[in-house]
Amino acid sequence: MNVLIINAGSSSLKYQLMDPETGAVSAKGLCERIYIDGRLTHNANGKKVVKDIPMPTHSEAIAAVLAILVDPVDGVIKSTDEIDAVGHRVLHGGMKFSDSCIIDDACIKAIEECIPLGPLHNPANLMGIRACQAVMPNTPQVAVFDTAFHMTMPPKAYRYAIPTEYYENDDIRRYGFHGTSHKYVTKRAIELMGRKDMKLINCHLGNGSSLSAVKDGKCQDTSMGLSPLAGVPMGTRSGDIDACVVQFIMNKYGMTADECLTMLNKKSGMLALSGVSSDFRDIEQEADKGNADCALALDKFAYEVRKYIGAYAAALGGLDCLVFTAGVGENSASMRARICEGLEFLGVKLDPEKNQTRGKEAVISTDDSKVTVWVIPTNEELMIAQDTAALVNAAKAGK
């Protein structure tokens, strides 16, 4: 089975053609500068192809993707009929979606209704969906929501302590993000541990970071909130912050709410603390050279992640498995060590030699550690492909 995975942004579109059973990717690429002029970067058959193609809308971008997939030289399939389904990453499903779904008119209407919750991403996701519908109307399509995995949280975790009217009238609550990644590593951890009945904490750490507390395969709590701004400090996001800080800055510097949120989303986090970069690799290099601000940034990040792990272990009533994933979680042995230092009281014992692993599945805890610590590379595209295939196959079987 071939599943085309689409991740549409406001002026870009990422794609992969994948076999959901094996995880094999036959082609992947990026359309960028949509609405400006258009550029396609395509990777397949062991080579990279870059083409400037007019893309006045997302429809032309999808058409360009389909054209190169069937190209006699650079393509990987003979006809678009070989694409069995399309899986779309959709940021915000609000309270309407607790799982992936086959896209129909009702699904599109519900995604539209979630635009106030995801004003930057949901419109772009809809552009990708509509473009695919226009170009390949007979191919089944599935929406995979970044918020869906976290919808098993109980009210005590997702409700904010603000007047109920804002929850009832405006759906303001904790949603959480990176759900497709958390779902994938949870599923993989269950397979690797050989059990579902366990207390698990996932640490998705990268330029964007979030943690989730999972019991028996279901999310109980997560660090991001109504938006991806909440939680631990990130590349350019502040993470958790006293709301009065926002009021103070707005009043003193004459900022609008949008301007202040832009600062918190794009000019804060590790970039602001280090004064050097939002990239953890750059910060670690400068810290090694004696840069005190960079050292503080790394200490702050590790401290906040460790606090969340402790809080989630308390919320779960214990901890069986701790998972590190995403760019920093998978590749930074030093950050994993910083985070785990001080978690011995929970039964976490890191093996310094095993911890040197980079970008591959591995147990990095000692043999006698009460908590098994894993590095599990995330694969959101595979999760999207598998969800898409399962729904499409079930729909066919139902007919």
Side-chain angles (χ1 to χ4, degrees):
M1 186 176 192
N2 285 319
V3 174
L4 178 62
I5 301 156
I6 298 293
N7 184 353
S10 58
S11 61
S12 65
L13 185 148
K14 296 178 183 177
Y15 65 92
Q16 286 193 16
L17 188 64
M18 177 184 286
D19 181 338
E21 291 187 12
T22 65
V25 177
S26 53
K28 64 180 180 179
L30 169 68
C31 296
E32 52 190 334
R33 297 179 64 82
I34 300 172
Y35 300 109
I36 301 173
D37 42 28
R39 173 168 293 175
L40 171 67
T41 302
H42 178 75
N43 295 275
N45 305 315
K47 66 177 181 177
K48 176 179 176 180
V49 177
V50 180
K51 293 185 176 183
D52 290 326
I53 301 171
M55 297 178 189
T57 70
H58 281 71
S59 292
E60 286 80 13
I62 291 292
V65 170
L66 296 178
I68 201 162
L69 288 174
V70 301
D71 186 89
V73 177
D74 300 314
V76 292
I77 53 177
K78 294 180 180 178
S79 165
T80 54
D81 292 338
E82 294 180 40
I83 299 174
D84 300 290
V86 182
H88 294 267
R89 177 181 181 265
V90 179
L91 179 85
H92 220 303
M95 294 172 65
K96 302 176 184 298
F97 297 98
S98 58
D99 211 339
S100 305
C101 74
I102 290 180
I103 295 172
D104 55 16
D105 290 344
C107 175
I108 288 177
K109 184 175 184 295
I111 295 172
E112 288 175 340
E113 291 172 352
C114 290
I115 287 175
L117 297 172
L120 298 178
H121 295 83
N122 276 34
N125 301 150
L126 283 165
M127 290 177 198
I129 290 169
R130 289 176 172 133
C132 283
Q133 288 179 325
V135 178
M136 43 201 313
N138 298 319
T139 304
Q141 300 186 53
V142 168
V144 180
F145 299 92
D146 219 23
T147 52
F149 177 72
H150 305 302
M151 292 305 290
T152 54
M153 287 189 292
K156 64 183 178 183
Y158 69 69
R159 283 290 298 273
Y160 290 124
I162 59 176
T164 301
E165 63 194 84
Y166 299 114
Y167 170 70
E168 293 179 342
N169 298 336
D170 304 300
D171 294 342
I172 294 177
R173 50 160 283 175
R174 181 181 303 279
Y175 287 99
F177 299 88
H178 296 143
T180 308
S181 173
H182 285 286
K183 182 178 181 179
Y184 174 80
V185 295
T186 294
K187 178 182 176 184
R188 190 67 189 129
I190 289 169
E191 292 170 350
L192 292 167
M193 294 287 285
R195 54 181 289 206
K196 187 175 182 179
D197 60 332
M198 64 176 174
K199 297 163 183 175
L200 165 70
I201 296 175
N202 292 322
C203 304
H204 176 110
L205 309 179
N207 190 52
S209 296
S210 64
L211 287 82
S212 63
V214 181
K215 186 176 182 180
D216 303 336
K218 294 184 178 180
C219 181
Q220 304 300 307
D221 205 345
T222 190
S223 59
M224 286 180 168
L226 175 73
S227 80
L229 181 57
V232 300
M234 303 169 225
T236 62
R237 295 184 185 127
S238 65
D240 293 336
I241 191 168
D242 184 342
C244 286
V245 173
V246 178
Q247 181 193 39
F248 182 94
I249 292 173
M250 287 173 62
N251 288 342
K252 183 170 183 178
Y253 296 98
M255 282 188 181
T256 65
D258 286 348
E259 288 170 342
C260 196
L261 283 175
T262 296
M263 179 272 290
L264 293 173
N265 272 294
K266 297 184 178 181
K267 299 178 182 179
S268 300
M270 300 298 282
L271 173 63
L273 286 171
S274 70
V276 169
S277 174
S278 62
D279 191 304
F280 281 78
R281 292 167 295 188
D282 297 337
I283 298 169
E284 287 179 344
Q285 286 177 4
E286 291 304 310
D288 289 342
K289 296 176 184 176
N291 186 311
D293 290 337
C294 289
L296 171 62
L298 296 173
D299 284 344
K300 172 70 172 175
F301 181 79
Y303 174 72
E304 295 294 338
V305 173
R306 193 184 312 117
K307 277 205 306 184
Y308 263 99
I309 292 171
Y312 284 169
L316 292 170
L319 183 60
D320 299 307
C321 183
L322 177 64
V323 174
F324 289 98
T325 193
V328 174
E330 295 169 23
N331 295 293
S332 178
S334 61
M335 182 52 70
R336 293 192 298 258
R338 283 174 183 265
I339 291 167
C340 289
E341 185 178 357
L343 293 179
E344 291 83 4
F345 77 100
L346 285 177
V348 174
K349 291 179 68 175
L350 213 60
D351 185 309
E353 186 175 341
K354 292 179 181 177
N355 186 41
Q356 296 309 306
T357 187
R358 288 174 57 88
K360 63 180 181 180
E361 282 184 355
V363 172
I364 59 173
S365 49
T366 61
D367 293 341
D368 63 342
S369 178
K370 292 180 180 179
V371 176
T372 306
V373 185
W374 279 92
V375 172
I376 301 179
T378 192
N379 196 332
E380 295 173 83
E381 290 78 16
L382 178 57
M383 195 73 257
I384 292 171
Q386 290 177 343
D387 272 13
T388 299
L391 284 169
V392 170
N393 288 332
K396 288 180 180 178
K399 292 180 180 180

